[in-house]
Amino acid sequence: MKLNLSLVLFLLFMALSSHNANSKEPANSAGGSLQEVAIDLYVDTQTKQIYSEPGAGRVRMGSFQKIADTPAQQTSPAASSGTPTTDNGTSLKQSQESKQAAVSIPGNQKTGESPRGFGYANWKERDPFKFNLNEDGSQYIKFGLLNQTWLRYEQNNPGSLVLDKPVDDTTDIGLRRTRLVLQGQLTDRVYFYTQYGMNNFNFLSQMNGNRHIAAYFHDAFGELRLTEGHQAILGGGLTIANGLSRFSNPSAATSMTMDLPIFAQATVDQTDLFSRKLSLYLRGQVGKFNYRVIASDPFSISTTGQPLAPLSPDNATFANNHTKQYQGFFVWNFWDTEPMTNTFMQGTYLGKKSVLNLEAGFITQKNATSTGTADNLRLHDINFWSVAAYLDAPVDRIKETAISAYLGYFNLDYGPGYIRNNGAMNPASDTSPMGGSFNGPGNAFPMFGTGDVWYGQLGYLMGKDLLGSNNGQLMPYVSLMSANYERLDNRMNVFNVGINWLIKGHTSKITFDYQNRPIFNTTSSGEILRTSSKGQFVLQYQIAF
């Protein structure tokens, strides 16, 4: 059989090419390949040991690749340019890059890839806003900030006026909370906390006609730890240390829901300063039992900046009186105990702790409200108490999913017939003289009153890989406030549904929230009945550290 010469030459060329390719050594063989297959490493959350395989209680740290122990044979550009070298001849730049790759930050891209994602950060220190006073960091000064910006669409209550004009709905931008924090552990037993800022700043905000609203100190308190541990801590000053519930002592920055259940701050801006009072307190953690007892000197109702509510023969209002207030809050921790850094209580730990609590609290004050007339004044005590269960725990430590839930019962006695309407950063200024609703203007509803309230919230932190690396996590939630107030003839239900995009935990967080609230009207016979409902949509961006 006669073969074609061209075909023979082609086959011989292909065989030689294949032999040469198979006989070549891998690139950088002297120093080891820089393109080794990456492996995933996992850390045991209890023992802190490192594993190469997933397992119970293990959290993925990231993907890692082998780094050359010796330099490549070729001349390093860094060395030729005069870059300092280590003792073994490897350029300092290469050595530093190897160290960075070997200590990969959990969740980062594979070694050699450019970092991506909305939540990526390359901080030199774990907490760059903390300045240590001693070597182990137990004594320190720390700076912080909280800023919550709202973009809101509001269906206004009937009869609402905005700048003296009737408006059915409003779109506005505002600052819900803007705070600067300075705190410090000065010695093993001495701690201080200050918080300065403002709240509820939108297009209507003014003080005596001046939009240049003065910020003020929200908190200024100090603490002295009386024991070696946290069994007894004595504190005092202007503080949010309160009784009643964990939402009466809230860490607003760590709230799972977009905003707090304000009704739990039962005397807010009536006899306190945005829920802060001048107080002396003792708090501590004894085993699984957490406690705080507080004696407060409330502000006078005459210093709110608003006209005093007129006296009513039947319905209580806060009295222009001066008596002390006493409070307590008690928690049994079934699982993990909670941090004792200061008086604020966490909203959600995002799966970083396993917390299951039974909680109870109270507030009491003699002669705090009044009914009657100036000539026949009747004074009434306020007595509040609550019981609640709180769960905040991981579900899957590998996927970093978690659940957060709260259910509480509140019994609130302000005196006979007490009711107070309130709306957060109200977008309306007044109600039409032609008539409105019992709620008042804007987004107000009967938030506070004598009666009982059930409040619950539930959220689920979704898997960390759902949005891709360094893009944060999603946490949808629902909440319900259901109040049976003495003054109202229908139960009042306010529900919220929303979702958090936790770009970098609570540090950078976007929340979309929808709220539905009832509208009440007074009938000719004096009944206060629910007649309709209105909605509110808010997009919030929070920065906090």
Side-chain angles (χ1 to χ4, degrees):
M1 181 176 178
K2 188 176 181 180
L3 295 176
N4 186 289
L5 181 59
S6 299
L7 178 59
V8 172
L9 292 174
F10 175 77
L11 293 174
L12 180 61
F13 175 79
M14 292 298 294
L16 290 173
S17 299
S18 175
H19 174 76
N20 289 338
N22 292 332
S23 64
K24 285 184 180 179
E25 293 183 359
N28 302 318
S29 60
S33 172
L34 296 181
Q35 304 298 325
E36 297 286 346
V37 176
I39 63 170
D40 290 339
L41 295 181
Y42 302 83
V43 60
D44 189 291
T45 56
Q46 298 296 325
T47 66
K48 308 304 181 186
Q49 290 182 312
I50 306 298
Y51 296 88
S52 60
E53 297 180 353
R58 300 176 189 175
V59 176
R60 182 175 175 271
M61 297 174 62
S63 296
F64 297 79
Q65 289 176 315
K66 183 179 179 182
I67 300 300
D69 295 328
T70 60
Q73 297 298 320
Q74 61 199 38
T75 303
S76 169
S80 63
S81 62
T83 303
T85 59
T86 60
D87 292 338
N88 65 4
T90 307
S91 73
L92 182 59
K93 181 178 179 181
Q94 288 176 329
S95 177
Q96 290 170 341
E97 289 174 348
S98 297
K99 289 178 181 178
Q100 290 173 359
V103 190
S104 173
I105 298 173
N108 277 6
Q109 303 292 322
K110 293 181 181 181
T111 305
E113 294 184 6
S114 299
R116 297 183 178 90
F118 289 96
Y120 175 77
N122 193 24
W123 293 350
K124 293 181 179 179
E125 305 290 340
R126 181 178 180 182
D127 188 348
F129 311 105
K130 178 184 175 187
F131 299 88
N132 293 334
L133 303 179
N134 60 355
E135 289 190 3
D136 64 8
S138 61
Q139 298 168 17
Y140 59 87
I141 299 288
K142 180 173 166 53
F143 297 90
L145 175 140
L146 168 64
N147 194 69
Q148 297 174 333
T149 302
W150 280 17
L151 172 62
R152 173 174 60 181
Y153 170 75
E154 187 74 58
Q155 294 178 332
N156 291 325
N157 296 339
S160 294
L161 298 179
V162 177
L163 302 176
D164 299 324
K165 296 179 181 178
V167 177
D168 292 332
D169 50 38
T170 304
T171 302
D172 68 335
I173 301 171
L175 299 177
R176 179 68 173 102
R177 295 176 180 88
T178 299
R179 315 273 180 79
L180 294 172
V181 173
L182 177 63
Q183 60 179 308
Q185 188 75 45
L186 301 182
T187 74
D188 285 347
R189 300 200 179 199
V190 176
Y191 173 83
F192 79 93
Y193 185 95
T194 59
Q195 184 172 197
Y196 186 82
M198 63 180 186
N199 311 283
N200 299 326
F201 187 78
N202 68 354
F203 72 102
L204 286 174
S205 299
Q206 53 84 27
M207 182 179 293
N208 299 321
N210 187 345
R211 75 174 68 94
H212 300 93
I213 295 178
Y216 59 91
F217 277 102
H218 288 61
D219 300 272
F221 63 87
E223 293 187 338
L224 177 63
R225 186 151 52 88
L226 303 179
T227 56
E228 286 289 339
H230 293 97
Q231 294 89 349
I233 301 171
L234 181 66
L238 180 63
T239 174
I240 202 171
N242 286 314
L244 192 58
S245 76
R246 72 184 302 112
F247 292 116
S248 309
N249 306 262
S251 166
T254 63
S255 174
M256 178 184 68
T257 55
M258 183 200 66
D259 209 355
L260 300 165
I262 303 298
F263 81 91
Q265 301 173 39
T267 62
V268 63
D269 275 346
Q270 297 299 287
T271 58
D272 57 40
L273 184 67
F274 218 72
S275 203
R276 280 80 173 171
K277 303 181 182 75
L278 296 167
S279 301
L280 183 69
Y281 60 87
L282 183 70
R283 67 185 185 97
Q285 181 82 41
V286 181
K288 291 290 187 178
F289 179 64
N290 184 289
Y291 71 92
R292 64 184 64 186
V293 288
I294 309 108
S296 301
D297 192 10
F299 296 98
S300 168
I301 188 66
S302 63
T303 61
T304 62
Q306 301 294 326
L308 293 178
L311 277 171
S312 166
D314 303 311
N315 302 314
T317 58
F318 274 93
N320 192 16
N321 202 14
H322 184 218
T323 58
K324 300 298 183 287
Q325 188 178 98
Y326 302 97
Q327 310 178 65
F329 183 58
F330 311 98
V331 179
W332 184 263
N333 306 124
F334 289 98
W335 297 343
D336 292 351
T337 59
E338 298 190 65
M340 293 292 292
T341 306
N342 52 43
T343 60
F344 295 92
M345 303 208 72
Q346 193 96 351
T348 173
Y349 294 96
L350 302 178
K352 301 299 186 294
K353 294 183 73 67
S354 296
V355 179
L356 177 62
N357 292 349
L358 181 62
E359 306 174 350
F362 73 91
I363 299 176
T364 184
Q365 183 181 346
K366 295 284 291 183
N367 300 332
T369 61
S370 60
T371 56
T373 64
D375 296 329
N376 184 24
L377 190 67
R378 296 187 299 275
L379 295 174
H380 308 279
D381 303 342
I382 59 172
N383 290 291
F384 312 139
W385 60 270
S386 79
V387 292
Y390 171 67
L391 168 68
D392 197 82
V395 175
D396 187 321
R397 293 186 183 274
I398 303 301
K399 296 180 180 179
E400 296 185 13
T401 57
I403 189 172
S404 185
Y406 177 90
L407 181 63
Y409 171 79
F410 295 74
N411 187 281
L412 307 170
D413 183 3
Y414 292 86
Y418 179 87
I419 200 81
R420 178 187 166 207
N421 295 316
N422 187 57
M425 199 164 68
N426 202 318
S429 50
D430 209 344
T431 303
S432 171
M434 302 299 293
S437 67
F438 177 80
N439 294 45
N443 62 348
F445 63 89
M447 187 178 291
F448 309 92
T450 292
D452 54 66
V453 178
W454 284 93
Y455 176 77
Q457 58 177 230
L458 176 66
Y460 181 76
L461 181 64
M462 304 178 77
K464 65 176 182 177
D465 295 327
L466 181 64
L467 301 179
S469 180
N470 290 319
N471 281 316
Q473 294 175 261
L474 298 179
M475 189 172 195
Y477 64 83
V478 294
S479 70
L480 174 66
M481 172 190 176
S482 183
N484 182 24
Y485 288 147
E486 183 180 288
R487 185 92 171 269
L488 304 178
D489 290 283
N490 298 122
R491 178 171 284 275
M492 192 209 64
N493 296 317
V494 178
F495 75 85
N496 291 66
V497 58
I499 187 167
N500 294 299
W501 178 18
L502 298 148
I503 301 171
K504 187 174 175 58
H506 293 299
T507 298
S508 177
K509 176 171 68 174
I510 294 175
T511 306
F512 179 74
D513 181 270
Y514 170 73
Q515 180 188 84
N516 184 277
R517 67 185 185 277
I519 303 297
F520 288 85
N521 280 288
T522 306
T523 67
S524 57
S525 61
E527 292 180 310
I528 303 174
L529 301 175
R530 181 185 180 278
T531 56
S532 62
S533 63
K534 295 289 184 180
Q536 171 185 271
F537 298 86
V538 179
L539 185 66
Q540 174 184 275
Y541 180 48
Q542 170 179 295
I543 295 177
F545 59 83

